[in-house]
Amino acid sequence: MSPDLTSHPAVSAVRAALADRGFDPDFRVLPDAVKTAQAAADALGITPAEIANSLIFKGIDADGSASPVLVMASGGHRVDTTYLAQALDLASLDRADPDFVRAHTGMAIGGVAPVGHPTPLRTVVDTYLEQFEQVWAAGGHSHAVFRTSYADLLAMTDGTASAVTP
């Protein structure tokens, strides 16, 4: 049995952010937590490559200041942080810890959605996702996902299209 997430604050924030941007996607609550692309793919009957993983990194500028960077990467890819940092003109792109992720998204790792954060995040959308008619993204909780498209991910996040590996 799927949990009732209708009043969960992060899921509500995601739904509201999607509606504010004119999106009403197929939103699903799954019976089991799907904290990895493989688990989500298995639950949805698709390949991991069709999962738009929401990965939060610390973008380090030349002056040493850090800011969150959301990378919507295909579940079939590992992000090459050196490559992507150079593409984004950053000194480095470092993996964020759970506290940093929650502070900047309001969500726990495994449920981070592309939208619904306390403030907009600099976002990169993996161009590899463009080959799929539809992709699935987290909906603010490890049990919640929604169907969207590459073009809609770019639009809803005001994201930058980029390869995440050379």
Side-chain angles (χ1 to χ4, degrees), residues 50-106:
E50 296 167 84
I51 300 296
N53 268 347
S54 300
L55 305 172
I56 299 294
F57 292 92
K58 282 185 185 179
I60 310 298
D61 289 316
D63 66 3
S65 62
S67 60
V69 177
L70 171 60
V71 178
M72 299 300 303
S74 167
H77 275 161
R78 281 190 151 294
V79 176
D80 183 324
T81 56
T82 302
Y83 169 82
L84 193 53
Q86 289 173 348
L88 298 175
D89 199 27
L90 294 168
S92 68
L93 195 61
D94 303 333
R95 188 66 77 161
D97 65 40
D99 291 336
F100 185 89
V101 172
R102 189 177 289 276
H104 291 284
T105 68

Side-chain angles (χ1 to χ4, degrees), residues 13-27 52 54 70 72 107 112-117 119-125 129 133-140 145-161:
V14 172
R15 286 180 175 269
L18 289 166
D20 287 348
R21 290 165 176 80
F23 295 99
D24 184 23
D26 177 13
F27 209 97
S54 300
L70 171 60
M72 299 300 303
M107 302 167 203
V112 175
V115 296
H117 314 125
T119 59
L121 302 178
R122 181 179 187 182
T123 303
V124 173
V125 180
L129 292 167
E133 184 177 322
Q134 63 186 20
V135 295
W136 289 84
V145 295
F146 66 93
R147 183 177 19 215
T148 188
S149 68
Y150 171 78
D152 285 350
L153 273 178
L154 283 169
M156 74 180 60
T157 63
D158 289 323
T160 300

